Every structure is written in C-alpha cells, then in structure tokens.
Amino acid sequence: MRRVGLLCTLALLVAACQEPFSSESFVPGGGPYEFVLDLSDSTAAYDLDLYSRLDGDPEELVPLQGTMLRAEWHSPSDSLFVEKVYLPLKGTCRSYYSRQIYQPYREDVRVVEPGIWTLVIRQEDRSQLVPFRGMGLVVRKKK
C-alpha cells in the first residue's frame, strides 16, 4: 500500500514540473506594451491572441470600429521585424461604458531563431488613441 502512495506522489510531482502549455501577460496603461516570450522550443508552434478592455462614454466607444497597431518583434540576436496589425474593436462582451476585446493575432508561429523574444505593441495612429485599459497577450504552445 505504501508503494502505491509513493508512486502516486511521484507521478504528481512529475506532472507538476511540466511546462504549462499556455501563458498570459497583461501590461496596463496606454502603451507601448512590451511582452517577453519564451519561444525556445524549436519543435513547437505557437498561437498568440491579444486582449484588452476599452472604457469610456458610449459616445466615445460607439464610433470605434478598429485600430492599427505596430508590432515590433525583437529576436534573441536583436534583429527587428516590424508589422502593422489591424485590431477590430467590436468587442466580445459589452456594457454601457466598457467593451472587452479578445482577438486572435497569429496562429502556428514557428520562429527561425528559438529563444527569448520581445514583442512590443504600440498604437500606430497617435492622433486617434484608443482608450485601452491595457493590452494582454495569450501564448499557447502546440507540439
């Protein structure tokens, strides 16, 4: 009987030490939003989703349909890749003074240089800033 208990404890310890398949981080404020990503596994693909919340008067939120973001990818060797991303602002959950945004960003990302990457996201059009509460990023690892 003790042997069964020992084996169960050992199995739980091994399971607890495994790397999680997803991670999530949130950067509060108006940006820029900097995320550090561990993309070290060269055998894995990654899915990335952006999320945020907009707060404001309904007159401010209703006309907001989308915004352009600038995504700057910094590789482990300090190379820079830049892309523009359109983020729809329709919202998955709404209230009178708030709108929740959850949007897939990239699917099946496989990096050519495994390691620790930095992703910096900023609003592209500084003249029409969207009232983000902050920006979050969900990274899911797929084997």
Side-chain angles (χ1 to χ4, degrees), residues 1 15 19-21 23 26-27 30 35 43 54 63 68 71-72 74 77 91-92 94 98 110 117 124 137 141 143:
M1 192 59 143
E19 178 183 13
F21 288 105
S23 65
F26 183 80
V27 179
F35 304 97
T43 64
L54 307 177
M68 289 299 292
E72 301 171 357
H74 299 265
S77 65
T92 55
R94 295 178 178 206
S98 183
R110 294 180 187 273
W117 286 68
E124 182 71 11
L137 182 71
K141 182 178 177 179
K143 286 276 185 175

